[in-house]
Amino acid sequence: MSPIGVFGGTFDPIHYGHLRSAYELLQDLELGEVRFVPSAAPPHRGSTFAPAELRYRMVEVAVAGQDGFVVDDCEFHRDGPSYTVDTLTAIRAERDAASLCLIVGMDAYLGLTTWHRWTDILGLAHIVVAHRPGWQLPNTGALGELLAECGTEDVGELHRQSCGRIYHHAVTQLEIASTEIRELVAAGKDPRFLMPDGVRDIIVASGCYTN
């Protein structure tokens, strides 16, 4: 069974930067699928700009028709903050011995030690750090020690083992940010060509970022 990529986030809104990174990892790591997991109640933010149901719908529309891309609503069936460790536990219970690859950006990885029960994550999944070409993971401090113990440059280990490794992979990171999209829409400008047309249509029709 090929590894399952788990790509969480607020996706407020989802855009081509998210989609391109996920697509390259799907191909380069030979993942069986990439699960997009919209956060229902992100613990690092008091609230999102678009409501959870609308963000989920935008992700659904964005990945529709792409083989290997699926949307997972598991965080919408739990109360309280949407902790990554709980999401991985739920997927692990469903898929048992499958290899799980938690996909994070470099910024998220650098904040890993602030995550809820972060030391439990590698017991549930691998961590795949998507970063810009030329960037390096930290080699000092707690993250440096973790990388020395668990890091690998062999993508095959993500297939042979179900969890426990840290793998970094350079991807084409487009200069698109959800914050800038929201600001652009609030200023009365059109976000066309920053995300799939279906996502843009939802944003325009709902007015979720207008005010």
Side-chain angles (χ1 to χ4, degrees):
M1 182 182 298
S2 298
I4 298 169
V6 181
F7 190 6
T10 53
F11 301 119
D12 196 14
I14 191 168
H15 53 68
Y16 281 131
H18 299 126
L19 295 166
R20 181 63 201 179
S21 292
Y23 186 63
E24 291 185 11
L25 292 171
L26 177 72
Q27 296 182 100
D28 295 348
L29 275 58
E30 297 183 357
L31 303 176
E33 64 184 41
V34 173
R35 288 194 184 194
F36 289 76
V37 186
S39 180
H44 61 286
R45 285 171 55 172
S47 61
T48 56
F49 292 86
E53 294 76 11
L54 196 62
R55 290 184 290 107
Y56 182 86
R57 178 59 184 153
M58 286 191 276
V59 176
E60 265 192 326
V61 168
V63 307
Q66 175 55 55
D67 290 343
F69 279 7
V70 297
V71 191
D72 191 323
D73 65 354
C74 64
E75 295 191 355
F76 291 77
H77 302 292
R78 297 198 307 265
D79 294 329
S82 300
Y83 292 124
T84 297
V85 68
D86 294 333
T87 296
L88 292 174
T89 299
I91 297 174
R92 171 62 64 204
E94 172 194 338
R95 299 304 290 265
D96 192 22
S99 170
L100 302 183
C101 294
L102 176 66
I103 298 169
V104 299
M106 181 67 81
D107 288 349
Y109 178 73
L110 293 177
L112 180 67
T113 58
T114 67
W115 291 20
H116 178 64
R117 291 174 51 200
W118 71 275
T119 56
D120 293 339
I121 288 176
L122 282 173
L124 296 163
H126 304 295
I127 297 176
V128 172
V129 185
H131 62 89
R132 298 176 189 276
W135 284 37
Q136 297 294 324
L137 298 181
N139 55 16
T140 59
L143 292 179
E145 294 174 5
L146 192 67
L147 183 64
E149 179 182 353
C150 303
T152 182
E153 296 182 0
D154 178 8
V155 70
E157 290 199 48
L158 306 183
H159 290 252
R160 294 189 294 269
Q161 301 178 28
S162 63
C163 62
R165 309 301 281 173
I166 300 172
Y167 181 84
H168 60 100
H169 191 78
V171 295
T172 304
Q173 293 196 332
L174 306 179
E175 293 293 336
I176 305 173
S178 296
T179 299
E180 294 171 356
I181 291 173
R182 296 193 300 266
E183 291 173 350
L184 182 150
V185 174
K189 297 180 180 179
D190 194 326
R192 187 183 296 276
F193 304 125
L194 295 174
M195 71 278 288
D197 285 344
V199 177
R200 177 259 182 194
D201 293 344
I202 291 172
I203 291 171
V204 172
S206 67
C208 58
Y209 303 130
T210 302
N211 297 318

